[in-house]
Amino acid sequence: MARFRRKTCITLIGLILFIFGIMVVLKTLRPEGAGFGSPFGLGLFPELQRAESGDNPPNHQKGIADSKPAVDQLKKGSTKSIMTLEAKLEEFPVPNYNLHVFYYSWYGSPQFDGKYIHWDHPVLPHWDPKVATNFPKGRHSPPDDVGSNFYPGLGAYSSRDPTVIEAHMQQLRTAAIGVLALSWYPPGMKDDNGESTDDLVPAIMDIAHKYQVKVTFHIEPYKGRDDLSMYNNVKYIVDKYGDHPAFYRYKTSNGKHLPLFYVYDSYLTSPEMWTRLLMESGHHSIRNTAYDGIFIGLLVEEKQKNEILTAGFDGLYTYFATNGFSFGSSHRNWKSIKVFCDSNNLMFIPSVGPGYIDTSIRPWNFHNTRNRINGKYYETALSAALEVRTDIVSITSFNEWHEGTQIEKAIPKTAGQTTYQDYLPHKADIYLEITRKWAVKFQKEREKWLV
């Protein structure tokens, strides 16, 4: 009996040592930093570890334990999201990349920017002090009081809000617009009433690409703009954004794909200075370099046709949505401008708009107001642009709310003593629908011209 007990003890001790040895070996196989954990190395098999106990794993192990289902769920979610987007894109009309729209990303709200930006635009005084005394002064006070005669369907939004950018891209696709001409200042620079917005460009381009919209740049007249700074601007834009799939490039007659730049108020810089950038012999010439492009100057007065030509620009645009405001914006002059451009190998890009009213910020400027006439003013401008058979038509604007040229959705609103204008009796998307209709007409007409 004593011998049996001794053998039993030896056997039990041996078994305990054997089990202990196995456990030590398994511990060495566990990931570094893990505790001793579950017996028999179940930590190596998360799917088994979850089944062994009803207890939740510690936070630092939970991510590991749940990783496979989480990845599978993410894949399913991503696939579903892609399928949803593809289905939505199929509902939109085909984007017309010969239809460009001027776009502003200078709006801000407290939620995203810490304050309202541009919606609180100041009321600008008349240059004649005697006239100025007859009109109100001060700033607008959002969100109910904004610097516009219309009220945006998205409210006093921030251009930094991703949901706003996405909504804008959906509206652009609804209108069949293919190219967004983004108002742009160099890094650290801004307009008189806003903040620097270059850091917002990547988000705009990413979401634009999601909706198959291209982005080109509308370079604003910042302080100190000259041939050298413009060379650096173009280099910066091409180096930073040129490889993005949403970056717009125009196919030239010789088969090159070059970036296109609108240059606002180009007449503020002398033609002689522009030649240094835009002529092959120029001191800071951009021609035949990696940064060459299509440069479009702004035509306001008739004499500027020749100035744009001698400066070395590749074409001209008219920007203003007020028919009769300037030589360039007057529809009756577009045929002669097109003849001039054709004779001198220049592009002519007329700018059309749905109307114009800026009396919320310039209360004395009522003589430049152009009534929308329930969309007829816009359609007249679009018809005039197609009659001159231009390669590109630009739209002023998607969201320049201060000047009432927006085609973005607007809603009826009354706040205090202010009743905003609206698109009634039509729906909020009427100008998107009109644009869509004419985008199709434009495409069909171009196909005839190219035959």
Side-chain angles (χ1 to χ4, degrees):
M1 178 67 71
R3 183 179 299 174
F4 176 78
R5 289 176 178 171
R6 194 166 45 249
K7 286 184 177 180
T8 301
C9 288
I10 292 171
T11 302
L12 287 172
I13 291 171
L15 181 60
I16 291 170
L17 290 174
F18 176 74
I19 293 173
F20 181 79
I22 291 176
M23 293 178 70
V24 170
V25 170
L26 288 174
K27 180 179 185 302
T28 63
L29 295 176
R30 290 181 59 77
E32 184 178 351
F36 196 79
S38 303
F40 307 110
L42 290 178
L44 296 175
F45 306 98
E47 64 276 13
L48 296 181
Q49 184 182 30
R50 285 195 302 277
E52 75 166 312
S53 171
D55 296 336
N56 291 326
N59 288 338
H60 70 282
Q61 293 183 7
K62 189 176 177 71
I64 298 172
D66 293 343
S67 61
K68 187 176 185 301
V71 169
D72 290 344
Q73 190 64 33
L74 183 61
K75 287 180 179 178
K76 289 179 182 178
S78 298
T79 303
K80 184 177 180 180
S81 178
I82 291 171
M83 291 174 65
T84 301
L85 178 60
E86 289 178 347
K88 182 173 288 188
L89 290 177
E90 288 181 1
E91 296 175 1
F92 293 129
V94 176
N96 187 330
Y97 295 108
N98 296 97
L99 196 58
H100 300 186
V101 68
F102 297 111
Y103 182 90
Y104 295 87
S105 61
W106 57 24
Y107 300 103
S109 69
Q111 181 183 358
F112 287 88
D113 308 89
K115 59 182 178 180
Y116 284 108
I117 303 173
H118 263 273
W119 299 117
D120 65 341
H121 200 290
V123 178
L124 303 175
H126 192 276
W127 56 85
D128 185 339
K130 293 181 180 179
V131 176
T133 59
N134 298 318
F135 296 97
K137 301 178 179 62
R139 301 184 73 94
H140 288 277
S141 181
D144 290 330
D145 173 23
V146 299
S148 173
N149 291 78
F150 294 85
Y151 199 84
L154 295 174
Y157 58 75
S158 169
S159 296
R160 295 183 179 278
D161 184 345
T163 63
V164 167
I165 302 174
E166 184 125 2
H168 284 172
M169 297 306 161
Q170 291 178 6
Q171 290 188 38
L172 290 175
R173 281 303 308 271
T174 297
I177 295 171
V179 180
L180 178 159
L182 179 63
S183 172
W184 185 83
Y185 286 87
M189 295 189 178
K190 59 186 180 64
D191 67 276
D192 293 339
N193 300 289
E195 302 288 342
S196 180
T197 59
D198 177 66
D199 63 316
L200 186 54
V201 175
I204 292 174
M205 296 189 79
D206 286 347
I207 300 176
H209 176 58
K210 179 179 174 181
Y211 285 90
Q212 302 171 343
V213 173
K214 301 296 183 182
V215 178
T216 191
F217 289 78
H218 191 193
I219 301 177
E220 299 285 357
Y222 56 85
K223 185 178 180 180
R225 188 177 70 180
D226 59 15
D227 54 311
L228 178 57
S229 68
M230 276 291 294
Y231 183 94
N232 291 330
N233 293 163
V234 173
K235 184 177 185 299
Y236 172 86
I237 290 171
V238 173
D239 285 345
K240 187 164 185 177
Y241 306 121
D243 291 332
H244 196 287
F247 188 78
Y248 175 72
R249 294 179 185 272
Y250 176 81
K251 185 177 181 181
T252 64
S253 57
N254 58 11
K256 291 184 178 180
H257 290 80
L258 298 176
L260 184 147
F261 300 96
Y262 291 96
V263 185
Y264 189 68
D265 278 359
S266 52
Y267 58 84
L268 295 177
T269 301
S270 69
E272 292 73 25
M273 188 170 287
W274 281 122
T275 61
R276 300 176 197 171
L277 175 76
L278 301 176
M279 302 294 278
E280 290 185 19
S281 58
H283 186 62
H284 297 119
S285 178
I286 210 160
R287 298 307 187 188
N288 300 317
T289 72
Y291 306 106
D292 202 354
I294 307 296
F295 295 86
I296 310 298
L298 176 62
L299 177 69
V300 180
E301 300 178 18
E302 184 174 10
K303 67 176 183 178
Q304 292 165 358
K305 291 189 301 183
N306 286 304
E307 292 176 355
I308 287 171
L309 177 64
T310 58
F313 281 95
D314 302 285
L316 54 87
Y317 74 119
T318 60
Y319 185 76
F320 299 106
T322 307
N323 182 22
F325 170 72
S326 69
F327 173 82
S329 69
S330 300
H331 303 165
R332 66 177 182 274
N333 296 326
W334 286 358
K335 287 184 179 180
S336 66
I337 295 172
K338 181 63 161 56
V339 170
F340 174 84
C341 288
D342 288 347
S343 301
N344 293 282
N345 197 29
L346 293 175
M347 290 180 64
F348 175 41
I349 305 180
S351 303
V352 301
Y356 186 95
I357 183 168
D358 65 357
T359 54
S360 69
I361 62 169
R362 300 183 185 95
W364 38 267
N365 194 34
F366 51 86
H367 61 281
N368 279 322
T369 296
R370 297 295 183 272
N371 193 294
R372 293 186 174 226
I373 323 173
N374 294 325
K376 293 180 181 178
Y377 180 90
Y378 190 32
E379 297 209 58
T380 298
L382 286 160
S383 177
L386 265 61
E387 283 181 10
V388 295
R389 298 191 172 190
T390 60
D391 194 41
I392 294 173
V393 172
S394 58
I395 300 170
T396 306
S397 64
F398 180 77
N399 62 342
E400 219 298 11
W401 288 91
H402 305 311
E403 297 180 346
T405 62
Q406 79 288 336
I407 61 170
E408 184 182 355
K409 292 181 181 180
I411 58 173
K413 183 179 177 66
T414 297
Q417 297 181 344
T418 302
T419 297
Y420 291 91
Q421 294 192 21
D422 53 54
Y423 302 161
L424 295 175
H426 301 293
K427 295 180 180 179
D429 63 353
I430 179 60
Y431 292 96
L432 304 176
E433 290 299 321
I434 291 174
T435 306
R436 176 178 183 163
K437 179 178 73 174
W438 283 88
V440 174
K441 284 187 178 183
F442 185 27
Q443 182 61 33
K444 289 181 179 178
E445 288 298 313
R446 287 190 76 255
E447 290 172 358
K448 293 178 183 177
W449 307 336
L450 298 175
V451 172

